[in-house]
Amino acid sequence: MIDDEAPVGNFSMSGDAAVQNTTEDAASSKLSAVRMGYFRDDYLEHFVRRVTRRSPLINRGYYARVAGIRKAIDGFLSCIPQGTTAQIVNLGSGMDTTFFYVNDKPQSVVCFECDFPEVIQRKAHTILRKEPCWKAMARNREDIVQVPGGALRSEPLRMVAADMRQVDEFERQLVQAGFQDDLPTLWLAECVLVYMQPLHSDAIIRWAANAVSKAPSAFVVYEQILPHDAFGRTMVRNLQARGCPLLGIHEYPTLDSQRQRYVSLGFTRCEAADMNDVYDLHLDGAEIARIQRLEIFDELEEWRLIQGHYFIGVALKGSHDEQHRGSLSYLEPLTQIWSTPRPSDTEMRFRSFGSLPPRPAPPPSINGIVPPGGFLPPSFGGPVPIPADPPRFVPSGGMVNGGGGGGRGKQLP
């Protein structure tokens, strides 16, 4: 754990400082999920000040977030031609451990972590004190360069301490850290852009869409949506009260507006799915079954409300250099796996109970006809009985509907 005397900057807990401190909540919540067995992260504990056990609702939410982001990262890396180095630029990286996750993979990847100087200084301080962390950066501690301002630099990890809203200065520092415009690049922004005025966040997206001129790039975003319904209004008020207003959520409140945003700002295409769809349709079914057995879970209604107010988007941009114009094609699978079919009414019935049934290959004997007795159509898993008494139906994982808590407005930082 981090010592109490570790430098954390001069925070006033208003404005930027309050937003910076959301990284504390996120890291603590992720560590709670790690310790309950939702996913593995061998480095996160080094960046958490206080260990707190979160509720099953929060643990499952962070599992979905981490699993969804990791799927996007893995999808990007799987598209990169063998022998090609890739770049991952983590915008507002905070105490995130994506670098360590990527560094364990066989691909050649250079990661850039970008955040306010205070946050970068604290993270650098921790890495230099924790042997497992600095050994991921370099074989010898002396091989890690610490530049003025405290940021660390090594071959696989380059830290950039800057206010990203000042795009010109941010770009200068990123290039100085070794960013190249001819390597396939993944931009990653988890709950970052939504805390900025649209003027600033749009400028970052527009710049990112044009920063890689000789290779394809992808932009993965995770943040809040739907501020206008009852739950969304509560979510916005709660974060406002914490000094973390969602400055961009009203400008881009829906999935459609988010898709249009990235295309209008320079990306070629964008797919987006709310976290209900990510969890139900895009994550590994065996893993979902496993994590649903970890804790008793009786907050299904609130779980669905929260998941519906967060999304993951993936935008693509091909090279605008004529010589490399066809290079977008090898990243196409990244959005193809993320495009979401419209759920059927039957699927939505199952969603109200917290999880969808498994989806085995459809039995060929049904031939697309719904048999008598209330069975799902083959496209959604073959003959799975629809419960006659929904409130008593127990979905996979043994969790019953109840105690959902309505829309009390909890949110995942």
Side-chain angles (χ1 to χ4, degrees):
M1 300 303 133
I2 295 174
D3 296 336
D4 287 341
E5 65 267 23
V8 296
N10 182 24
F11 292 160
S12 65
M13 289 312 298
S14 64
D16 293 344
V19 172
Q20 290 172 34
N21 272 14
T22 62
T23 190
E24 300 276 357
D25 293 333
S28 178
S29 296
K30 287 179 181 178
L31 183 59
S32 173
V34 167
R35 293 196 164 196
M36 289 302 298
Y38 283 85
F39 57 92
R40 182 172 178 174
D41 190 322
D42 296 333
Y43 296 90
L44 186 59
E45 65 179 359
H46 300 303
F47 300 95
V48 175
R49 287 177 174 276
R50 295 176 181 84
V51 178
T52 303
R53 180 170 176 175
R54 305 295 192 189
S55 69
L57 177 74
I58 300 299
N59 287 336
R60 189 183 289 193
Y62 272 92
Y63 163 78
R65 170 178 174 171
V66 170
I69 293 296
R70 286 182 174 180
K71 177 169 183 175
I73 292 171
D74 292 344
F76 169 77
L77 294 178
S78 70
C79 295
I80 305 303
Q82 188 173 4
T84 301
T85 297
Q87 298 176 136
I88 295 179
V89 183
N90 195 341
L91 303 172
S93 54
M95 299 300 119
D96 184 65
T97 54
T98 292
F99 159 69
F100 301 100
Y101 174 74
V102 171
N103 197 53
D104 286 338
K105 296 187 175 297
Q107 290 97 332
S108 174
V109 182
V110 178
C111 290
F112 297 83
E113 293 196 349
C114 314
D115 214 317
F116 287 107
E118 297 90 345
V119 177
I120 290 295
Q121 289 166 14
R122 180 190 149 191
K123 192 169 190 178
H125 179 84
T126 300
I127 289 175
L128 291 177
R129 290 187 304 112
K130 302 293 183 176
E131 184 174 346
C133 297
W134 66 253
K135 276 195 169 181
M137 289 189 66
R139 180 172 299 179
N140 301 305
R141 193 173 183 272
E142 294 72 23
D143 294 333
I144 300 173
V145 176
Q146 190 160 26
V147 301
L152 304 180
R153 305 273 169 84
S154 70
E155 185 61 31
L157 176 62
R158 326 284 175 85
M159 289 182 165
V160 176
D163 183 342
M164 295 179 295
R165 295 169 298 189
Q166 308 300 321
V167 174
D168 290 343
E169 174 61 17
F170 173 50
E171 180 182 20
R172 187 189 68 78
Q173 291 199 37
L174 190 64
V175 171
Q176 187 182 62
F179 180 82
Q180 297 179 224
D181 68 352
D182 60 352
L183 296 179
T185 300
L186 176 67
W187 306 91
L188 180 61
E190 294 186 55
C191 287
V192 175
L193 302 180
V194 73
Y195 290 111
M196 300 181 187
Q197 294 286 356
L199 175 69
H200 295 129
S201 55
D202 284 354
I204 292 171
I205 296 169
R206 186 183 297 109
W207 166 75
N210 294 283
V212 184
S213 62
K214 300 175 183 177
S217 60
F219 199 115
V220 174
V221 59
Y222 169 90
E223 62 188 33
Q224 300 92 329
I225 51 171
L226 303 182
H228 300 303
D229 62 19
F231 184 90
R233 290 192 296 270
T234 302
M235 175 180 71
V236 170
R237 284 197 303 270
N238 286 351
L239 286 166
Q240 176 80 41
R242 293 174 57 188
C244 306
L246 299 175
L247 299 176
I249 195 170
H250 294 284
E251 188 77 14
Y252 302 104
T254 65
L255 289 179
D256 282 343
S257 64
Q258 289 284 351
R259 295 186 189 102
Q260 293 165 10
R261 175 189 200 183
Y262 283 83
V263 173
S264 69
L265 293 173
F267 283 89
T268 307
R269 59 179 294 191
C270 179
E271 296 289 351
D274 70 32
M275 293 306 293
N276 279 319
D277 280 338
V278 170
Y279 187 84
D280 293 336
L281 305 177
H282 298 298
L283 299 186
D284 181 77
E287 270 294 286
I288 293 294
R290 180 189 68 82
I291 67 101
Q292 288 185 164
R293 293 191 293 268
L294 292 176
E295 298 181 273
I296 295 174
F297 194 85
D298 64 354
E299 299 174 290
L300 299 173
E301 295 174 31
E302 192 166 7
W303 155 256
R304 287 302 183 185
L305 281 170
I306 293 175
Q307 294 294 89
H309 286 76
Y310 284 76
F311 82 100
I312 292 179
V314 179
L316 294 187
K317 175 67 181 290
S319 168
H320 51 74
D321 180 273
E322 197 65 41
Q323 182 180 353
H324 302 83
R325 191 170 296 280
S327 61
L328 175 64
S329 59
Y330 68 75
L331 285 188
E332 286 291 341
L334 187 58
T335 53
Q336 291 170 6
I337 63 171
W338 222 251
S339 56
T340 302
R342 183 176 178 81
S344 69
D345 292 340
T346 304
E347 260 191 319
M348 296 310 295
R349 281 189 76 187
F350 275 105
R351 285 188 180 185
S352 65
F353 307 106
S355 67
L356 290 175
R359 294 185 177 194
S365 58
I366 295 181
N367 294 322
I369 301 173
V370 181
F375 289 91
L376 286 176
S379 60
F380 293 111
V384 180
I386 296 174
D389 182 11
R392 297 182 180 275
F393 175 65
V394 181
S396 60
M399 292 156 293
V400 296
N401 185 25
R408 293 194 296 271
K410 292 182 184 177
Q411 64 281 322
L412 309 179

